[in-house]
Amino acid sequence: MFSLGDTGKEFRRLVRVTDAFAQAQRWLERINTYSSSYLDPRTFQLVSVHPVPPSESADVQLMAVSSAGFRLYFSFFSGFAGGGAAAPGSRPASGGGGGGGAAVEPTRLQLVFVRPPSSAVGRERLRLHDACYADGVLVLANSFSDDADSVVCISREKEHALELTGSDKLEGKTWSISALPAAPGGEASAAAAASGFLALPGRARRFVVLTNS
């Protein structure tokens, strides 16, 4: 994690996570609900990292996607000038504060949730190499073969919080994925962001996939 400072002109590294695999493995073993058979240390690799805005969650600030399709959700922790530590996801603020003292920059990133690959994608192991995330929609480039990819889309149905998954084959290999600008309006409310794990904006998103074909 890097900081641009109060002026936006600095560039300082604050936190470095070197044990993402170990944290994910411990989380899966502790929950004992999901199979961790695809979480192999020999092939574990993070292919993309995406910030989660405050409008979607008050507790999660970062989502990382592994090449096997695991999604790792992180929250940052901040210390306080007056002593003690903030709760997970306590976003730093400049200037003075209340009784706890002035908030300072994040000092630690902690894994808080792991979501395994969706069973709806199929029984084949995913081999992801690119991803794009916007407004609760995740688009993934999967190596279907040496010459072609498939695109996998994961989103959540807002009313019942169900996860929806779809995939389609592409001609050629994916070079880049980008989200088109969203139409104004439809942001998740602050109350929804504070009450749920990830709040969903009520607007559709479109993506562009660039391939070599």
Side-chain angles (χ1 to χ4, degrees):
M1 176 184 290
F2 292 85
S3 172
L4 300 180
D6 292 335
T7 63
K9 298 180 179 180
E10 302 178 45
F11 190 76
R12 295 178 293 106
R13 188 172 74 181
L14 301 179
V15 182
R16 181 184 181 187
V17 176
T18 60
D19 62 342
F21 173 82
Q23 288 192 50
Q25 190 174 46
R26 287 195 299 267
W27 191 92
L28 289 169
E29 291 174 351
R30 184 175 69 253
I31 298 301
N32 197 28
T33 300
Y34 305 113
S35 170
S36 60
S37 59
Y38 287 179
L39 200 62
D40 189 335
R42 298 168 297 179
T43 59
F44 181 80
Q45 180 182 8
L46 297 180
V47 298
S48 64
V49 177
H50 310 275
V52 177
S55 59
E56 290 186 27
S57 176
D59 299 323
V60 175
Q61 286 76 47
L62 202 67
M63 177 185 67
V65 180
S66 80
S67 57
F70 283 86
R71 283 164 280 166
L72 283 60
Y73 296 87
F74 293 87
S75 178
F76 66 60
F77 290 72
S78 298
F80 280 84
S90 297
R91 298 181 182 270
S94 59
V104 297
E105 292 173 324
T107 57
R108 181 164 59 98
L109 272 173
Q110 178 68 45
L111 182 75
V112 294
F113 187 74
V114 177
R115 189 179 292 275
S118 174
S119 59
V121 176
R123 296 182 180 179
E124 296 288 335
R125 292 194 179 188
L126 294 174
R127 296 186 299 161
L128 305 177
H129 62 89
D130 199 3
C132 183
Y133 176 81
D135 286 344
V137 180
L138 183 63
V139 179
L140 307 162
N142 179 48
S143 293
F144 182 77
S145 67
D146 293 337
D147 301 317
D149 282 349
S150 62
V151 61
V152 179
C153 181
I154 301 174
S155 64
R156 281 165 295 140
E157 192 272 331
K158 186 175 182 179
E159 183 177 352
H160 301 98
L162 300 175
E163 188 163 85
L164 307 176
T165 305
S167 64
D168 199 6
K169 295 181 182 178
L170 297 176
E171 294 183 4
K173 303 294 290 185
T174 303
W175 281 356
S176 181
I177 308 174
S178 181
L180 294 177
E187 291 84 358
S189 67
S195 63
F197 176 67
L198 287 175
L200 301 181
R203 58 188 178 189
R205 292 306 306 260
R206 295 187 297 170
F207 295 79
V208 173
V209 180
L210 177 66
T211 71
N212 64 353
S213 62

